[in-house]
Amino acid sequence: EVRLVESGGGLVQPGGSQRLSCVGSGLTVSSNYMYWVRRAPGKGLEWVSLIYSDGKSYYADSVKGRFTISRDNSKNTLYLQMNSLRAEDTAVYYCTRTPYWGQGTLVTVSS
Amino acid sequence: NFMLTQPHSVSESPEKTVTISCTGSSGSIANNYVQWYQQRPGSAPTTVIYEDKRRPSGVPDRFSGSIDSSSNSASLTISELKTEDEADYYCQSSDTSNLWVFGGGTKLTVL
């Protein structure tokens, strides 16, 4: 059975940082690709970042320069380092590779 | 920029059939696979259709996907509607850079 389990969310002040983790089981995080997708309150799904098996990474314009995607193959774990957080980054963040989704982790950016 | 357009909301009665459309803004929607995700309130998205018409294990065959090249659209059809089908549904495909694009989501009400 494939499982993706995110963690690391919480309350953070504007301008602060947070690192999200996504541990995979039954699936190799470093193969193919992995996405971070978020859903902000009252809004739809939005892709945030993508990493391919060769390490190439991509970012939505809304987070470019502030977020960094990475992975630790030995831990089968995907990460999202989020810096300079803004109120509009408040969302539930999911890691996903079709057709699998994690349960999500909530990031709230507020003072 | 490539966009996917979905109706904001649809409603239908239990036991009936509903179809949710997803129209591509340019190019040919048939050039990249379309996925459909279901998201119930307070829950993570789950994949109900991937690669245009494939169903993950555990998804009932009441859910089906199709592509209509003539209208540059994809459709999700749910037959024998149940109250548990009430959710937000999102289509997703890829742009010319192979990055994910989500539709705005459709709220399905089963009344």
Side-chain angles (χ1 to χ4, degrees), chain A residues 7-47:
Chain A
S7 62
L11 176 64
V12 59
Q13 291 192 336
S17 297
Q18 198 85 343
R19 189 178 82 156
L20 307 182
S21 300
C22 166
V23 179
S25 58
L27 163 155
T28 301
V29 164
S30 61
S31 64
N32 295 318
Y33 66 89
M34 290 294 299
Y35 266 93
W36 285 101
V37 170
R38 67 185 180 185
R39 186 172 184 187
K43 299 202 170 182
L45 296 174
E46 176 191 23
W47 80 272

Side-chain angles (χ1 to χ4, degrees), chain B residues 17-68:
Chain B
T17 296
V18 70
T19 297
I20 299 171
S21 62
C22 171
T23 303
S25 61
S26 61
S28 173
I29 201 166
N31 286 347
N32 290 289
Y33 284 129
V34 174
Q35 281 63 237
W36 289 91
Y37 306 117
Q38 176 193 70
Q39 188 170 30
R40 296 187 176 107
S43 296
T46 62
T47 303
V48 291
I49 294 291
Y50 69 105
E51 294 180 2
D52 296 341
K53 56 185 179 182
R54 298 180 67 180
R55 274 178 290 106
S57 61
V59 174
D61 60 6
R62 301 186 296 106
F63 290 81
S64 62
S66 63
I67 301 292
D68 181 353

Side-chain angles (χ1 to χ4, degrees), chain B residues 56-111:
Chain B
S57 61
V59 174
D61 60 6
R62 301 186 296 106
F63 290 81
S64 62
S66 63
I67 301 292
D68 181 353
S69 297
S70 65
S71 59
N72 206 37
S73 65
S75 293
L76 172 69
T77 298
I78 311 171
S79 61
E80 301 173 22
L81 275 168
K82 302 181 185 300
T83 54
E84 67 205 46
D85 298 331
E86 195 162 280
D88 294 328
Y89 290 85
Y90 294 88
C91 61
Q92 173 261 309
S93 189
S94 302
D95 63 14
T96 52
S97 299
N98 216 28
L99 297 172
W100 281 6
V101 176
F102 287 99
T106 298
K107 181 177 180 61
L108 169 62
T109 301
V110 181
L111 35 65

Side-chain angles (χ1 to χ4, degrees), chain A residues 78-93:
Chain A
L78 178 74
Y79 299 103
L80 186 67
Q81 177 67 44
M82 306 184 295
N83 299 331
S84 302
L85 283 162
R86 307 167 179 166
E88 54 265 35
D89 296 318
T90 294
V92 179
Y93 287 75

Side-chain angles (χ1 to χ4, degrees), chain A residues 52-74:
Chain A
Y52 281 112
S53 56
D54 63 2
K56 287 184 180 175
S57 57
Y58 301 84
Y59 301 91
D61 288 344
S62 57
V63 306
K64 204 171 292 182
R66 300 187 298 121
F67 289 14
T68 303
I69 192 171
S70 64
R71 62 184 183 228
D72 184 331
N73 297 345
S74 67

